[in-house]
Each structure stands twice: as structure tokens, then as C-alpha cells.
Amino acid sequence: MQFKALREQVVEANLELVRRGLVVYTFGNASGISRADGLVFIKPSGVPFEELKPETLVVTDLNGRIVEGSLRPSSDLPTHVKLYREFAQIGGIVHTHSSYATSWAQAGLEIPCFGTTHADYFYGPIPVTEAMERCDIESAYEENTGGVIVKRFRDLDPVHMPVVLVRGHGPFCWGDSPLKAAQNAVLLEEVAKLAYRTLTLNASAAGISTALLDKHFLRKHGPGAYYGQPKPVR
Ligand SMILES: [Zn+2]
């Protein structure tokens, strides 16, 4: 099975997590999907990042059934496929235990939007899921992790908010491609660090206004975007 470009990008997305210091040892994983074929390409479980190659990725269908690959897929695969099934617009997913974002997840706190760095990429506070129930932990844990994320997004747009904190666990991030998902994981970690320091300096710091949030997010995203260079017309 080919999919050369997608395989290479999934490997690159995994390596980007290492380059940016978001993972230690084998924590963390990235995947990508070919929507036209309904095929998911994900990191194999427990394989060191430096040994990852395009041909060693595990290929599954949208229900997590292995289509190709001799290694076991990342144990988080059921979370990934659940999110691919529920969020039709996304093309890549990344999961890490990056320090600052995971600290917020462990504190059970959403990350307030304290400044324009946050507002440039995330449209509002970074959501945190509710705690998982015992029954959801004891069976189908990884799929149910996807379930609490989907539940938290009942009134949120996964395109405007491409990251979430799973309470007591860590961040899941996505984007229209695997590399975009990795980039969002990097940006989330930076925003989580800034927010932590903001509250350290001023425990009663307030979030920015809706006007400033709208200005910064909407000038980069959506139909009225004007930041950067226009996309070339093909
Ligand atoms: Zn994890």
C-alpha cells in the first residue's frame, strides 16, 4: 500500500513532537487519515521515535481494524479513530503528555485566554473534559477517552478549537493534516506555559475581551481572514 506523502507526513509529525520537546521516551503519538479511503496511519506502539519509518506505520480502518502493518498500533488508536469518526473535518491527530498542558489537565482546569498569542490560534479557553466514570475506564478505556472529548465538544467547533485537555491525563490535538495537528500541540504547550506564568505573576489576571479575541482569531481564520499572504488561486 502506497500513500507515500501521507506516511511521510505522519512520521514528520511524530518527529516534530520530539524536536519540540513535547515527548519523553515513547509517550505520545501522531496519526493521519486518508478521508477518501477511510484509512488511518498511526505510530506503532512502543517504537522509539528515532526508529520510526514511513513503512512501519500501522494502517487501520475507521473502526481500528488493522489493514496493514506487522506491529501493534499505538494503544491510543481507539481514541484517534473515535475522533476521526466524529470530527469529519480533521485530517491529523496528535497526543502528548507535554509538561505545561498536562499540568493544566491534571489540575482539572481549562486554560483561560489571557492574551493574543492564545487568541491567534484557539478561539476561547482551552476546554478540559469531565472526569471519566469507573465503568468507562474499566472497559473500552481508549475509545471512551474519545467519548469524553466528543461530549465536551457538544457546543464547540473542533475547527475553531483544535485542542482539548483530557482531565487527569493530557492533551489531544488535531488539525486538517498531521503536521497541522503537531503544530497545534506545540502552540498549545506554549499557550499553557504562558498562562501558567501569567497566573504566577498575577493570580487574579483576567482573560482578554471578546473584542480582542475575535479580532485576533478571526483575522487568521474563517471567511474574513486577512492575516498573512492570500492563498494562490489554482
Ligand atoms: Zn496518554
Side-chain angles (χ1 to χ4, degrees):
M1 200 179 294
Q2 291 297 307
F3 299 96
K4 187 169 180 284
L6 179 57
R7 284 175 185 270
E8 286 173 357
Q9 195 180 147
V10 171
V11 170
E12 267 308 296
N14 276 285
L15 295 180
E16 179 71 355
L17 306 180
V18 180
R19 283 194 290 260
R20 302 289 181 173
L22 300 193
V23 299
V24 292
Y25 297 123
T26 58
F27 295 173
N29 43 68
S31 72
I33 185 170
S34 168
R35 285 285 176 191
D37 306 280
L39 294 174
V40 174
F41 296 72
I42 192 164
K43 181 182 177 290
S45 181
V47 171
F49 284 88
E50 58 272 21
E51 291 173 19
L52 205 55
K53 293 189 177 65
E55 60 272 20
T56 54
L57 296 177
V58 183
V59 188
T60 80
D61 66 15
L62 270 170
N63 291 311
R65 278 187 287 266
I66 295 178
V67 175
E68 190 183 290
S70 54
L71 299 169
R72 270 200 295 186
S74 162
S75 55
D76 292 316
L77 172 70
T79 315
H80 287 238
V81 292
K82 171 82 174 169
L83 295 179
Y84 284 128
R85 288 198 305 268
E86 298 283 345
F87 300 159
Q89 313 91 323
I90 70 177
I93 297 173
V94 158
H95 172 53
T96 79
H97 291 184
S98 64
S99 295
Y100 281 91
T102 300
S103 298
W104 284 88
Q106 291 183 175
L109 295 171
E110 66 174 28
I111 305 177
C113 183
F114 284 127
T116 62
T117 316
H118 179 135
D120 278 338
Y121 300 99
F122 308 117
Y123 198 30
I126 308 298
V128 60
T129 68
E130 62 186 34
M132 292 175 68
E133 304 283 345
R134 173 185 277 267
C135 58
D136 290 337
I137 295 167
E138 287 178 346
S139 72
Y141 168 61
E142 290 82 6
E143 180 172 358
N144 293 333
T145 299
V148 289
I149 295 172
V150 170
K151 195 171 171 193
R152 183 64 188 82
F153 272 71
R154 197 173 286 150
D155 301 315
L156 287 173
D157 178 349
V159 174
H160 283 176
M161 183 52 65
V163 296
V164 67
L165 304 172
V166 176
R167 188 178 292 253
H169 185 168
F172 277 83
C173 311
W174 49 85
D176 57 12
S177 68
L179 276 177
K180 207 60 193 256
Q183 189 182 73
N184 285 332
V186 175
L187 292 165
L188 170 63
E189 181 63 4
E190 184 64 19
V191 161
K193 181 162 65 176
L194 289 172
Y196 175 81
R197 288 176 173 168
T198 301
L199 285 176
T200 304
L201 292 166
N202 179 2
S204 55
I208 60 171
S209 67
T210 306
L212 193 55
L213 171 63
D214 283 353
K215 184 71 187 172
H216 271 263
F217 188 83
L218 299 175
R219 71 183 185 150
K220 280 192 161 188
H221 307 267
Y226 62 86
Y227 183 91
Q229 302 303 317
K231 289 205 173 76
V233 179
R234 293 180 196 279

